[in-house]
Amino acid sequence: MHKRIRKAVFPVAGLGTRFLPATKSVPKEMLTVVDRPVLQHVVDEAREAGIEHCIFVTGRNKAVIEDYFDAAYELEDILLKRGKKKEWEALISELPTPGSMSFTRQQSPLGLGHAVWCARDIVGDEPFAVVLPDMLTLPNGARRRCLAQCIDAYEEHGGNIIAVEEVPPEETHKYGIVSVGKSFGQVFEINGMVEKPPKGTAPSNLIISGRYVLSPEIFKILEKVEKGSGGEIQLTDGMQALAKSQTFHGVRFDGKTYDCGSRLGFLTANVAFATDNPEIASEFRTMLKDVVGKL
Ligand code: UTP
C-alpha cells in the first residue's frame, strides 16, 4: 500500500507576463473560464482526485486569491434577503472546509521549482500532488480528470508520476519533455527528461503537462538545484536529480490540456468548457456557429 495523496501544491506566484495587461492587477489564475476562475476549475479537479488540503504558493498582488476562498458575508446576506436561494447555495457549496487551505509566499518569482520548494513545511514528509493552475484539463468522455488519472497510476506503481500529452514535434522546444521506457497501457516508465530542448533534439513529443505526484525527497533536492533554463529554478531539473534514486512514471492522460497562461489557450479553453457545459452548450454552439460562419 502506498501512502495516500492528501495534499496538493498550487504554484500561483508567477508574473503572467504573457497575459499583460490583464495580469497587471488580476492574477491570471483568477481570469474566468465560462463562469468561474481558472483556479476554481483546478481546485475542483483536485477535490475529485481526493485531495483534502490545497496549498497555494502566492506572491505580491495575489491577495484576491485568498479572499476568493473565504466567506463573502455581505453578499451572502444580500442574496438571502433578496430570496436568491439558488445563488446563495451555489456560493456556500463551493466554500472549502475550514482549515483545508494554506497560503504561503514566494517573495520573488525564482521559478516553478523554487515555488514548489516554498511549500515544503506545509507538505511535510508525505507524497503530494503539484497542480499547475494555468493548465486546465478536460477528460475525454466519462473519465475522471487528469489528476485523478495520475493518482490512479500512483496507487498502482508508487514513486513519482507526471502527466504527459502529445504535441506536434516542431513544438517540443517550448516544453519539458520526457523519454519513454517500458509501457503498461497508458502508463510508462520515464527514463529521462529535459526542459525546453533545442529544436530537433527532443527525445519524444510527450510534454510534461502540469500535473505531478512527487515524493517529499524532492524538497531536499530543490534546495540545492542551480538556476537552469530561463535563469529560473526548474522543477524538471529537480525531478531529473530525483530520478537517479526513485522511479518516475508518465501517464498519457486521456483528455486535453489548455494553457490558460497564453491568450490562445485561454480562448480555446473558454470555447471547450462552454461547449462541455450542459447549461449553456446548446445556445453557445448556435452563437459560435454564427460567429464562425462569418469568418
Ligand atoms: P509559467 O511560466 O507558466 O508562469 O509558470 P508565469 O511565469 O506566471 O507566466 P509568463 O510566462 O510570465 O506569462 C507555470 C506556473 O508556475 C507558477 C506560475 O504561477 C504558473 O502557475 N510559478 C512560476 C510560480 O509560482 N513561481 C515562479 O517563480 C514561476
Side-chain angles (χ1 to χ4, degrees):
M1 262 295 270
H2 306 295
K3 267 194 186 170
R4 211 158 70 75
I5 307 296
R6 301 185 311 122
K7 298 180 183 176
V9 175
F10 298 77
V12 288
L15 298 178
T17 51
R18 283 170 296 156
F19 228 121
L20 283 167
T23 46
K24 218 171 132 191
S25 61
V26 182
K28 67 174 169 180
E29 299 79 10
M30 294 307 289
L31 299 173
T32 46
V33 167
V34 185
D35 57 359
R36 59 201 57 229
V38 168
L39 198 54
Q40 177 76 62
H41 286 284
V42 286
V43 166
D44 291 347
E45 180 181 334
R47 282 185 183 148
E48 180 201 56
I51 296 297
E52 294 166 5
H53 195 115
C54 297
I55 302 162
F56 298 92
V57 181
T58 74
R60 274 197 297 284
N61 299 328
K62 303 262 180 170
V64 65
I65 292 178
E66 207 163 330
D67 291 341
Y68 177 78
F69 290 108
D70 203 349
Y73 174 74
E74 285 177 0
L75 181 60
E76 289 163 20
D77 192 47
I78 292 172
L79 288 176
L80 276 183
K81 281 188 179 137
R82 294 193 179 163
K84 295 197 180 260
K85 195 83 196 299
K86 203 169 143 234
E87 288 79 357
W88 178 82
E89 271 166 6
L91 215 59
I92 296 293
S93 69
E94 307 250 316
L95 271 182
T97 313
S100 67
M101 290 199 164
S102 300
F103 298 84
T104 187
R105 290 257 177 159
Q106 183 192 28
Q107 284 84 352
S108 77
L110 296 176
L112 177 59
H114 183 263
V116 170
W117 178 73
C118 290
R120 65 201 178 280
D121 279 346
I122 309 178
V123 171
D125 189 25
E126 57 184 280
F128 63 103
V130 173
V131 178
L132 299 199
D134 45 0
M135 304 299 273
L136 281 196
T137 68
L138 262 184
N140 284 333
R143 288 218 58 183
R144 295 193 303 154
R145 279 172 276 195
C146 186
L147 188 61
Q149 294 181 34
C150 291
I151 290 182
D152 287 348
Y154 165 81
E155 278 164 4
E156 198 175 337
H157 298 277
N160 301 269
I161 306 286
I162 303 177
V164 301
E165 201 175 350
E166 275 186 37
V167 295
E170 60 277 13
E171 305 246 316
T172 49
H173 63 284
K174 298 185 205 157
Y175 302 96
I177 306 288
V178 299
S179 55
V180 182
K182 199 171 152 200
S183 284
F184 315 87
Q186 293 301 95
V187 181
F188 60 91
E189 281 173 8
I190 292 177
N191 53 20
M193 39 191 134
V194 52
E195 187 62 36
K196 299 191 179 71
K199 277 188 181 174
T201 66
S204 77
N205 65 339
L206 293 174
I207 64 164
I208 298 177
S209 72
R211 304 290 182 266
Y212 314 75
V213 174
L214 296 173
S215 68
E217 285 73 29
I218 191 80
F219 293 124
K220 283 216 173 65
I221 293 174
L222 288 173
E223 203 169 311
K224 298 193 195 104
V225 165
E226 306 275 326
K227 284 183 184 168
S229 169
E232 296 190 335
I233 295 171
Q234 296 289 352
L235 182 59
T236 306
D237 292 342
M239 293 193 300
Q240 229 168 4
L242 184 58
K244 292 192 179 121
S245 56
Q246 294 193 6
T247 62
F248 272 77
H249 284 86
V251 175
R252 282 194 181 85
F253 138 70
D254 185 17
K256 186 152 175 50
T257 308
Y258 301 91
D259 179 5
C260 291
S262 78
R263 289 177 299 180
L264 288 178
F266 175 77
L267 292 169
T268 315
N270 262 295
V271 174
F273 277 71
T275 49
D276 190 59
N277 181 319
E279 276 179 28
I280 58 168
S282 155
E283 268 183 88
F284 181 64
R285 277 205 186 96
T286 310
M287 293 172 80
L288 200 59
K289 278 183 194 149
D290 187 40
V291 175
V292 173
K294 291 190 180 112
L295 295 181

